[in-house]
């Protein structure tokens, strides 16, 4: 497998070379638009050893040429930020609207990018016909099955991996009381994975959650769930560690150990599926340094494990970040600022990708 080309040992020895390359890049980038004279991109630095991805939002892909150019040139994987969610795909029962998601898939194919599908079963961004309906448990199970089979079949062969189930746990490791859990119990997770597998047997199937970077009750609940599903022969192939971090919080220090318990002990893939590092505004030099450090440590932890196959940032520019609308007074979470100037975190990732290949 291509991933086996990673060479952790030379990583340390040849770091100074990577530092020189990055310094040269930084010099160029600081005197011109960040992307205009860049001698290397993130995806070129990764050189297929890992998927380096971004969430992609519409309408910015259509309306912002700089966004579009960077999305296509810097990344070899994309995740639709909203276009594959239930409210976008099935806004009325049985009526499927794939145009926006199809556009992102077409963009990815035109730019030789993998697509990470997001997401089939979640408790957010559900259409009102579903949340406002009065369905029996049996009806909800049929609705869920039809949605998954329809959507996964539509994209069959075009999606590398699906976030089949998103955010099933509370912080204490108990199951989140979603409409799915309340009606169907925890079996909705195994059912969803089996239906997705039936619709696209080649796609990798993930369970995805936040605050599972380090070893804690929530990540241990994920570990126990995946272990149990594997023991039952349920087709789960990966765990998505979202990676929504903040400089005001400590770093989840045992992230490498956590990744390895999934990859080594359970034999599943891991993806860093939604990485960003927000700050309480305004940002200062200390917060910027912490942000760089956090990005660097997550990326290094993934690159150290050949079965950590994807590192995706949840948007690459502060211009369109989801953060300020959810966390008032916070932001600046991405690797480019709102004017598309690459931040130190960008160069840290670039350096890590180069170093993992022995440069
Ligand atoms: O599409 C409507 C638009 O028609 C309307 O005019 C506008 C008015 O507010 O809202 C638009 O929908 C918004 C949608 O993003 C598309 O822009 C929603 O209000 C807004 O809530 C939604 O936010 C998304 C959020 O998930 C919803 O939960 C963010 O963009 C998206 O980045 C965020 O992503 C999630 C992952 O899916 C799962 N993990 C956490 C992550 C961050 O919250």
């Amino acid at each position: 497998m291509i991933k086996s080309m990673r060479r952790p040992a030379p990583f340390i020895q040849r770091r100074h070379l990577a530092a020189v390359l990055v310094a040269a890049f930084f010099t160029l980038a600081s005197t011109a638009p960040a992307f205009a004279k860049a001698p290397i991109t993130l995806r070129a630095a990764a050189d297929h050893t890992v998927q380096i991805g971004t969430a992609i939002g519409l309408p910015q892909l259509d309306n912002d040429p700089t966004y579009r150019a960077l999305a296509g040139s810097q990344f070899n994987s994309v995740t639709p930020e909203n276009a594959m969610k239930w409210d976008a795909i099935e806004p009325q029962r049985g009526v499927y609207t794939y145009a926006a998601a199809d556009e992102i898939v077409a963009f990815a194919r035109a730019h030789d990018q993998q697509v990470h599908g997001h997401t089939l079963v979640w408790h957010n961004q559900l259409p009102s016909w579903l949340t406002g309906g009065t369905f029996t448990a049996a009806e909800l199970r049929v609705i869920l099955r039809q949605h998954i089979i329809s959507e996964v079949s539509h994209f069959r062969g075009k999606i590398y991996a699906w976030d089949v189930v998103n955010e099933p746990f509370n912080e204490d490791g108990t199951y989140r009381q979603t409409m799915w859990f309340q009606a169907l119990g925890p079996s909705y997770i195994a059912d969803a994975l089996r239906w997705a597998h039936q619709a696209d047997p080649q796609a990798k199937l993930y369970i995805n959650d936040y605050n599972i970077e380090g070893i804690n009750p929530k990540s241990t609940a994920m570990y126990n769930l995946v272990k149990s599903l594997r023991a039952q022969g349920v087709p789960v192939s990966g765990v998505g560690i979202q990676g929504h971090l903040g400089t005001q919080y400590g770093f989840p220090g045992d992230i490498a150990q956590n990744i390895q318990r999934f990859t080594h002990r359970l034999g599943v893939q891991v993806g860093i599926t939604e990485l960003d590092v927000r700050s309480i505004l305004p940002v200062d030099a200390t917060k910027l340094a912490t942000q760089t450090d956090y990005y660097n440590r997550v990326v290094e932890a993934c690159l150290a494990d050949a079965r950590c196959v994807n590192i995706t940032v949840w948007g690459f520019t502060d211009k369109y970040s989801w953060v300020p609308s959810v966390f008032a007074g916070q932001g600046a979470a991405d690797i480019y600022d709102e004017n598309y100037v690459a931040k130190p975190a960008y160069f840290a990732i670039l350096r890590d990708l180069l170093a993992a290949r022995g440069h």
Side-chain angles (χ1 to χ4, degrees):
M1 202 177 151
I2 294 169
K3 290 278 299 196
S4 64
M5 290 170 63
R6 287 187 209 157
R7 300 181 188 91
F11 178 114
I12 308 292
Q13 295 154 7
R14 300 183 188 172
R15 258 191 162 200
H16 67 283
L17 175 58
V20 169
L21 286 171
V22 170
F25 186 13
F26 189 83
T27 304
L28 286 170
S30 62
T31 56
F35 56 93
K37 294 184 181 177
I40 191 164
T41 60
L42 295 175
R43 68 184 291 173
D47 192 25
H48 303 290
T49 58
V50 69
Q51 296 169 18
I52 180 77
T54 182
I56 291 280
L58 295 171
Q60 52 264 42
L61 191 67
D62 292 331
N63 299 329
D64 184 336
T66 306
Y67 181 94
R68 191 177 181 89
L70 285 171
S73 62
Q74 290 288 338
F75 304 96
N76 61 26
S77 174
V78 296
T79 305
E81 185 173 2
N82 290 296
M84 289 184 177
K85 292 173 179 173
W86 199 314
D87 61 352
I89 292 292
E90 194 184 359
Q92 298 168 49
R93 187 172 180 182
V95 177
Y96 290 86
T97 52
Y98 289 114
D102 283 346
E103 183 188 333
I104 293 175
V105 171
F107 176 86
R109 288 168 80 84
H111 293 84
D112 192 23
Q113 296 168 316
Q114 305 268 18
V115 180
H116 188 99
H118 177 84
T119 178
L120 298 171
V121 192
W122 196 23
H123 57 277
N124 277 335
Q125 287 170 286
L126 295 170
S128 54
W129 68 263
L130 183 53
T131 53
T134 49
F135 301 107
T136 65
E139 286 170 334
L140 272 181
R141 191 165 183 272
V142 168
I143 287 169
L144 185 61
R145 181 178 181 279
Q146 283 176 342
H147 179 80
I148 291 173
I149 298 224
S150 299
E151 182 166 0
V152 176
S153 298
H154 177 84
F155 294 110
R156 180 181 173 124
K158 297 177 178 173
I159 304 288
Y160 172 77
W162 275 106
D163 290 332
V164 176
V165 178
N166 197 38
E167 302 172 0
F169 291 114
N170 296 313
E171 299 305 295
D172 65 1
T174 57
Y175 282 108
R176 188 189 286 270
Q177 296 290 312
T178 68
M179 62 181 288
W180 307 115
F181 183 84
Q182 286 178 339
L184 305 172
S187 66
Y188 84 90
I189 296 174
D191 282 343
L193 289 158
R194 288 191 176 109
W195 294 327
H197 183 66
Q198 185 185 328
D200 188 350
Q202 301 304 318
K204 305 290 184 193
L205 304 181
Y206 278 58
I207 308 174
N208 191 48
D209 217 324
Y210 60 87
N211 287 349
I212 61 164
E213 292 73 34
I215 293 177
N216 59 39
K218 195 173 185 180
S219 64
T220 297
M222 179 69 90
Y223 178 85
N224 290 333
L225 170 63
V226 173
K227 185 177 180 184
S228 156
L229 292 170
R230 299 277 287 178
Q232 297 167 63
V234 176
V236 57
S237 28
V239 170
I241 294 176
Q242 291 187 5
H244 293 295
L245 306 180
T247 61
Q248 68 271 38
Y249 308 117
F251 184 79
D254 42 12
I255 182 169
Q257 195 186 339
N258 189 41
I259 290 172
Q260 282 166 21
R261 68 173 171 162
F262 289 108
T263 58
H264 291 192
R265 283 199 238 153
L266 299 186
V268 293
Q269 298 183 347
V270 163
I272 308 297
T273 50
E274 305 186 13
L275 181 58
D276 55 16
V277 184
R278 63 184 181 268
S279 287
I280 296 169
L281 300 174
V283 169
D284 57 22
T286 303
K287 294 175 188 174
L288 201 57
T290 301
Q291 179 185 60
T292 307
D293 179 49
Y294 285 14
Y295 269 104
N296 177 50
R297 286 158 76 176
V298 172
V299 170
E300 281 191 342
C302 182
L303 291 175
D305 190 324
R307 299 207 69 184
C308 185
V309 298
N310 183 305
I311 302 163
T312 288
V313 293
W314 202 245
F316 58 89
T317 167
D318 294 337
K319 189 172 181 182
Y320 303 109
S321 172
W322 65 280
V323 170
S325 60
V326 174
F327 296 104
Q330 299 185 41
D334 297 320
I335 59 175
Y336 290 86
D337 73 10
E338 64 279 6
N339 297 311
Y340 294 111
V341 176
K343 298 182 194 175
Y346 171 94
F347 298 101
I349 297 172
L350 190 73
R351 180 198 67 217
D352 290 337
L353 293 169
L354 287 168
R357 290 173 43 223
H359 290 282

